[in-house]
Amino acid sequence: MCIRDSSKLGQRDASRAELELARADSERIGDQRTLYRTLNGLALEHLQRGEMAEGERDLEDALAAAAAAGIEPVVTLQNLAAVRAARGRPDLGEPLARRLIDYYHRLGRRSDEGEIATNLAHMLRDLGRTAEASVELDRALTLLRGSSNDNGLADALYALGVADLEDGRLERVEALVAELEATSQKSMKRLSLGYARGLIARQAALAGDLSRARAAFAEARQLLLADGNPDLAAMSDLAWAEAEAAAGEPATALAVLAEAMAPLDQPSDTQAGFFAATLSARLDAGAGRVAAARTRLEALGAEA
């Protein structure tokens, strides 16, 4: 578990108290515009603390305030779609993402439209609608290739690579790895290279080359953490743990999961934390530790 900076926590407490006062004042006088901005700020405070349910409620209230004030709630829609998908409700995130795509398309903001198309593709795959997800990824890559949004392009390329591996199209992955590496050389950012190593690791694991997979997964983790993306590093480590479990190495899988969760402030309130807990429960059950598995699942509540 990470140790938090108490001074930062104190600053956040003060900031949240100020926002709560501003919310009460705005509600009292009926100032919907100020209320909209305040609710978005409160949502961010909750989400940064890992308080996903509270953050989601603030964003829903912000949407209502935006409607009353006649505001196009772009940031709220984007955050709420992401939160709903992360909390296991991509079906509720999908209509928000489609609304954003329509908005960015009308304005000709191709890069932003491409980013949301990638997010929508993730939701559609989670819903089992793989053909529709492929259409959105194609749209995303068309919009992002040639743009200055290197991180957005990297996200889309990685999403396509993972989809190809999951669907058995292994022959397409090499070209995506090469494009990610080229993107990293152009942008001088670690994200693209971390994604490239992650795809190499997944491909090696599927081919049964666990030694190569381990080395590539470890490099992916290092690159993603160095780029300031602990959540992405944790999700990559989940794939690593799954590979270890599939190879009959449950103890190593549990060790990978523990290391994956360490950089996260509130792992239990993240998507990575949820999947780590379910995999840990599966590994416990497989090793005969039924009580431990049951405790893990009970801690997850109804979402499991």
Side-chain angles (χ1 to χ4, degrees), residues 112-150:
D112 291 320
E113 182 184 349
E115 278 196 37
I116 303 302
T118 301
N119 295 341
L120 177 56
H122 284 298
M123 297 177 203
L124 293 170
R125 279 192 71 85
D126 286 344
L127 292 168
R129 291 153 57 189
T130 55
E132 293 175 71
S134 295
V135 170
E136 292 304 326
L137 279 178
D138 287 344
R139 182 218 297 259
L141 288 168
T142 298
L143 293 165
L144 290 164
R145 281 184 172 125
S147 75
S148 61
N149 188 349
D150 296 314

Side-chain angles (χ1 to χ4, degrees), residues 165 173 177 181 195-205 212-213 216:
L165 289 170
V173 174
V177 168
E181 290 174 341
Y195 278 156
R197 295 299 176 267
L199 290 180
I200 290 170
R202 287 169 177 258
Q203 189 175 39
R212 183 172 182 236

Side-chain angles (χ1 to χ4, degrees), residues 54-192:
E54 293 86 346
E56 185 174 3
R57 281 196 296 270
D58 289 335
L59 291 169
E60 289 169 347
D61 290 344
L63 280 185
I71 297 170
E72 187 68 53
V74 177
V75 173
T76 308
L77 288 169
Q78 192 159 344
N79 289 337
L80 185 55
V83 168
R84 285 177 171 173
R87 300 193 74 212
R89 293 303 306 268
D91 56 316
L92 298 180
E94 179 191 354
L96 304 182
R98 291 193 183 280
R99 180 174 166 185
L100 280 166
I101 285 174
D102 290 343
Y103 173 77
Y104 286 133
H105 184 76
R106 289 197 308 271
L107 294 182
R109 291 168 57 174
R110 293 170 58 83
S111 176
D112 291 320
E113 182 184 349
E115 278 196 37
I116 303 302
T118 301
N119 295 341
L120 177 56
H122 284 298
M123 297 177 203
L124 293 170
R125 279 192 71 85
D126 286 344
L127 292 168
R129 291 153 57 189
T130 55
E132 293 175 71
S134 295
V135 170
E136 292 304 326
L137 279 178
D138 287 344
R139 182 218 297 259
L141 288 168
T142 298
L143 293 165
L144 290 164
R145 281 184 172 125
S147 75
S148 61
N149 188 349
D150 296 314
N151 283 355
L153 176 59
D155 288 338
L157 289 168
Y158 182 67
L160 181 57
V162 170
D164 283 341
L165 289 170
E166 289 177 348
D167 296 343
R169 297 184 295 269
L170 276 64
E171 73 284 354
R172 292 176 36 165
V173 174
E174 185 176 347
L176 294 172
V177 168
E179 188 171 356
L180 281 164
E181 290 174 341
T183 301
S184 177
Q185 289 179 346
K186 179 172 74 76
S187 67
M188 301 301 291
K189 293 178 181 177
R190 297 182 181 92
L191 177 66
S192 299

